[in-house]
């Protein structure tokens, strides 16, 4: 019991430090640019050594991968917290909006991060990791909400991919017009357009 308790505490400390490093790195990327930020800068801002940084990440661009992974984890937690009686498609929309509210509290920060990612090829290639993480993590809880059938796995895949596509479409539509349009309104409209027929059956 004591071993498990210590192991759990150690894992939580590791997770907290990873988030601390990611937050420090993202702030510096926004302030100085990706190429203007050195690993030593990130380590100093996070209050760790260079060696500790490389214990968690093999390169500074991998910090962005972890940032996307954290969003994927948050998304799954938000979806799993929805009422089991709620239609799955509604739960997916609510989960994506909750994740957006948590990671995108400030419109300008979201816009700056998107611009940063899109201007750096090495980071843009990492953007799609979020969709991979989200799909992998969402499939099990979505599948668990679907009535048993031979098509259960296919239905879960369709729902998850359709939700990710709707969210991405809303994000791409919102970014150039941020401040003039509500992201929530665009996302809700995108989910209406993208809702698979299987979710209404």
């Amino acid at each position: 019991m004591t071993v498990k308790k210590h192991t759990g505490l150690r894992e939580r400390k590791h997770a907290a430090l990873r988030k601390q490093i990611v937050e420090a790195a993202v702030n510096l990327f926004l302030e100085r640019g990706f190429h203007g930020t050195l690993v030593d800068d990130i380590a100093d801002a996070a209050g760790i050594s260079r060696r500790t940084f490389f214990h968690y990440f093999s390169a500074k661009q991998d910090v962005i991968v972890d940032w996307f992974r954290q969003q994927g984890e948050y998304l799954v937690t938000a979806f799993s917290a929805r009422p089991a009686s709620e239609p799955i498609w509604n739960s997916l929309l609510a989960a994506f909006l909750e994740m957006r509210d948590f990671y995108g509290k400030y419109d300008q920060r979201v816009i700056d991060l998107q611009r940063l990612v899109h201007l750096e090829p090495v980071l843009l290639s990492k953007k799609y990791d979020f969709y991979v993480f989200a799909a992998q993590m969402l499939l099990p809880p979505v599948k668990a909400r679907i009535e048993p059938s031979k098509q259960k796995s296919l239905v879960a895949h369709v729902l998850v991919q359709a939700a990710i596509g709707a969210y991405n479409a809303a994000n791409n539509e919102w970014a150039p017009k941020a401040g003039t349009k509500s992201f929530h309104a665009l996302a809700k409209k995108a989910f209406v357009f993208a809702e698979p027929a299987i979710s209404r059956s």
Side-chain angles (χ1 to χ4, degrees), residues 128-173:
Y128 298 96
D129 289 338
F130 166 71
Y131 302 114
V132 174
F133 290 142
Q136 290 175 341
M137 294 177 183
L138 273 175
L139 271 173
V142 168
K143 194 180 294 185
R145 292 262 302 268
I146 298 171
E147 292 295 325
S149 74
K150 290 182 180 179
Q151 302 300 322
K152 181 174 182 174
S153 180
L154 178 60
V155 170
H157 276 86
V158 170
L159 287 168
V160 168
Q161 292 299 332
I164 290 172
Y167 177 79
N168 189 38
N171 206 37
N172 289 339
E173 181 71 13

Side-chain angles (χ1 to χ4, degrees), residues 53-184:
F53 175 90
F54 284 114
H55 176 74
Y56 286 89
F57 302 100
S58 58
K60 63 180 180 179
Q61 59 263 32
D62 292 332
V63 170
I64 295 297
V65 176
D66 202 74
W67 183 61
F68 287 134
R69 181 188 58 76
Q70 289 176 22
Q71 292 178 61
E73 291 175 346
Y74 189 97
L75 183 62
V76 173
T77 300
F79 175 81
S80 300
R82 303 301 301 177
S85 58
E86 183 177 55
I88 294 176
W89 191 245
N90 292 2
S91 293
L92 285 167
L93 170 59
F96 272 97
L97 290 179
E98 185 178 330
M99 179 201 69
R100 175 70 180 207
D101 287 344
F102 186 82
Y103 283 93
K105 294 174 184 175
Y106 306 103
D107 285 357
Q108 191 57 51
R109 181 179 171 84
V110 173
I111 295 167
D112 291 344
L113 281 170
Q114 288 186 341
R115 186 180 296 118
L116 172 73
V117 170
H118 282 266
L119 287 177
E120 295 294 341
V122 69
L123 298 183
L124 184 58
S125 66
K126 305 297 183 184
K127 173 185 176 181
Y128 298 96
D129 289 338
F130 166 71
Y131 302 114
V132 174
F133 290 142
Q136 290 175 341
M137 294 177 183
L138 273 175
L139 271 173
V142 168
K143 194 180 294 185
R145 292 262 302 268
I146 298 171
E147 292 295 325
S149 74
K150 290 182 180 179
Q151 302 300 322
K152 181 174 182 174
S153 180
L154 178 60
V155 170
H157 276 86
V158 170
L159 287 168
V160 168
Q161 292 299 332
I164 290 172
Y167 177 79
N168 189 38
N171 206 37
N172 289 339
E173 181 71 13
W174 173 84
K177 306 166 187 174
T180 62
K181 288 197 174 185
S182 160
F183 178 81
H184 275 231

Side-chain angles (χ1 to χ4, degrees), residues 6-76:
H6 287 167
T7 300
L9 178 61
R10 185 163 58 247
E11 289 175 349
R12 288 195 295 275
K13 285 183 176 179
H14 281 312
L17 184 53
R18 286 184 76 92
K19 288 184 177 181
Q20 183 177 317
I21 297 170
V22 169
E23 185 67 19
V26 169
N27 287 339
L28 286 172
F29 290 161
L30 289 174
E31 179 186 335
R32 306 178 184 180
F34 178 71
H35 293 292
T37 301
L38 304 177
V39 168
D40 287 340
D41 297 330
I42 298 172
D44 287 343
I48 59 172
S49 67
R50 178 185 175 88
R51 181 178 179 180
T52 299
F53 175 90
F54 284 114
H55 176 74
Y56 286 89
F57 302 100
S58 58
K60 63 180 180 179
Q61 59 263 32
D62 292 332
V63 170
I64 295 297
V65 176
D66 202 74
W67 183 61
F68 287 134
R69 181 188 58 76
Q70 289 176 22
Q71 292 178 61
E73 291 175 346
Y74 189 97
L75 183 62
V76 173

